[in-house]
Amino acid sequence: MNRLSSFARQVYDRLIRYAIKFGIVGILAYLVDVLVFNLLRIGVFGTGTWFQSPLGATVVSVTVSTVFAWVGNRYWTFREHRRKNYLLELVEYGAVAVVGLGINLACVWISHYVLGFDSLLADNISRNIIGVGLATLFRFLMYRYWVYGTHRKDGLSAIESRRAEAAAMSIFEDDASATTDASSLDEPSERRVGGP
């Protein structure tokens, strides 16, 4: 029984906890996405523009909701894995979001232009149910295991782990060596390992 509860705890810590937080951020981002999409489609921000078309409205609404989701995921869902280099993190997050957008656009395009389901309801079903479902699964896996993966050298949890290791090793070193080791923790790993 103890093994089973230990296994359940590990699954929760490694996946379910992130999925729940990701889901909450995702629901809020989804509401932003659907609101912006429908406001653009009904012409609140102007009529006769590309942004009022199903594809244009999708591009704008997904972009706005992606920025919202990045902030939520960076500072809440994956906060212990967020990276020191936030610009690289944002670029990778954006790359995953673009593929997710491609999944959404493909669903809308097939439904609206190939199958001929061109009503607002059909656009919402193809994009907000089918497209979002497929794109969400893809994004969760990529964010969890690539963008915020534990393998990242510049992630905050990796830096804290190296600091804890240096503190433990400093017990066996003199003060000058411990200070040198601690100060090198914020340098890139290539430089610490013997780079220029």
Side-chain angles (χ1 to χ4, degrees):
M1 186 67 175
N2 193 21
R3 277 187 166 168
L4 183 59
S5 68
S6 174
F7 175 74
R9 182 68 183 166
Q10 286 179 355
V11 169
Y12 176 79
D13 285 342
R14 292 185 181 176
L15 191 63
I16 296 173
R17 177 172 52 106
Y18 294 111
I20 292 169
K21 289 180 176 182
F22 185 78
I24 292 169
V25 170
I27 288 169
L28 295 174
Y30 177 74
L31 293 174
V32 168
D33 186 7
V34 171
L35 178 67
V36 172
F37 176 78
N38 283 292
L39 289 174
L40 287 167
R41 287 290 286 133
I42 62 174
V44 170
F45 300 109
T47 58
T49 66
W50 180 76
F51 298 112
Q52 190 181 12
S53 73
L55 298 180
T58 296
V59 169
V60 172
S61 66
V62 168
T63 301
V64 170
S65 68
T66 297
V67 172
F68 176 87
W70 175 68
V71 172
N73 285 319
R74 174 176 172 74
Y75 292 103
W76 188 50
T77 307
F78 302 111
R79 72 176 172 260
E80 64 268 12
H81 299 293
R82 69 180 184 250
R83 313 241 299 278
K84 190 173 181 179
N85 185 344
Y86 65 89
L87 292 176
L88 179 59
E89 177 187 298
L90 179 60
V91 167
E92 290 177 355
Y93 194 95
V96 171
V98 166
V99 175
L101 173 61
I103 293 168
N104 260 331
L105 288 174
C107 292
V108 171
W109 185 78
I110 290 169
S111 171
H112 194 91
Y113 297 105
V114 175
L115 300 176
F117 300 121
D118 57 3
S119 70
L120 184 60
L121 177 63
D123 288 343
N124 274 284
I125 290 171
S126 64
R127 193 187 96 61
N128 294 325
I129 295 174
I130 299 167
V132 167
L134 294 173
T136 298
L137 177 62
F138 169 79
R139 285 192 306 262
F140 174 71
L141 293 172
M142 293 302 292
Y143 292 151
R144 174 64 183 96
Y145 295 106
W146 182 52
V147 176
Y148 296 108
T150 56
H151 66 283
R152 296 299 188 160
K153 300 285 188 236
D154 71 334
L156 295 180
S157 60
I159 291 170
E160 290 171 4
S161 177
R162 288 195 303 267
R163 285 186 178 148
E165 184 180 323
M169 290 178 15
S170 71
I171 295 171
F172 303 106
E173 297 178 340
D174 60 40
D175 289 343
S177 297
T179 302
T180 302
D181 288 345
S183 66
S184 71
L185 290 173
D186 291 330
E187 297 176 9
S189 59
E190 298 82 29
R191 188 174 292 164
R192 283 197 322 269
V193 176

